[in-house]
Amino acid sequence: MSDVLLQIDGKEVKATQEMTVLEAAQRAGISIPTLCHHEKLEPFGACRICIVEVEARGWTKLVVSCVYPVEEALIVRTRSEKVDRIRKTILELLLAHAPDSPVLQELAQTYGADKNRFEKEASFCIHCGLCVRYCAEVKKKNAVGFVDRGIRKEISFIPEIASKECNDCKECFPLCPTSYLQAAFVLTEALAFPPSSE
Ligand code: SF4
Ligand code: FES
């Protein structure tokens, strides 16, 4: 596989052709915030917090770095006024759903996001899909899935599978940026398969 040379934040970075901009940055020790990315999972491109500015052939545009492929001589800026403004707005929208998430609060500090900018609609899940995709792609169990669509979308444990698989696993719990997942599991367990009924 041939190497690709690009520039990220002024630093010359060597990547391989199949890499995304995010992977190239991570390999070079350059940090880009992510909320729906996990190295063991297929890129999802949902949260948009990893947005960066790229410049190629005289054009500058904003791209989602976890799904955008590297290319020769690409110039990448991981922070700029525009990038920071978009990340700030994304965080403010997410904080309306999960105001107590430590992950979001920490990012909010970095980008000056105001957690009270948008009216609270606490749903706690920010739809990053890490739990659903980890269970499907890595564990191949599908014990948790999305139900409904659009703004009504929410995650749900499938009691028949979760009652058999989850107690000895729980690998998805630490992936959740809001800890909603753990609460959803405890509720499903209490309602559908309380420990005392085993
Ligand atoms: S429960 Fe947590 S990990 Fe799962 S989709 Fe929602 S925020 Fe992401
Ligand atoms: S980390 Fe890239 S879109 Fe979520």
Side-chain angles (χ1 to χ4, degrees), residues 47-69:
C47 73
R48 301 298 206 244
I49 199 82
C50 68
I51 208 153
V52 295
E53 212 169 72
V54 296
E55 195 182 317
R57 296 172 289 278
W59 287 89
T60 301
K61 59 181 177 178
L62 292 164
V63 301
V64 176
S65 68
C66 67
V67 292
Y68 196 82

Side-chain angles (χ1 to χ4, degrees), residues 111-132:
Y111 294 97
D114 172 6
K115 76 174 188 175
N116 298 316
R117 176 166 169 204
F118 295 107
E119 202 179 322
K120 298 272 175 307
E121 272 182 74
S123 56
F124 308 104
C125 173
I126 58 163
H127 300 160
C128 71
L130 284 173
C131 55
V132 173

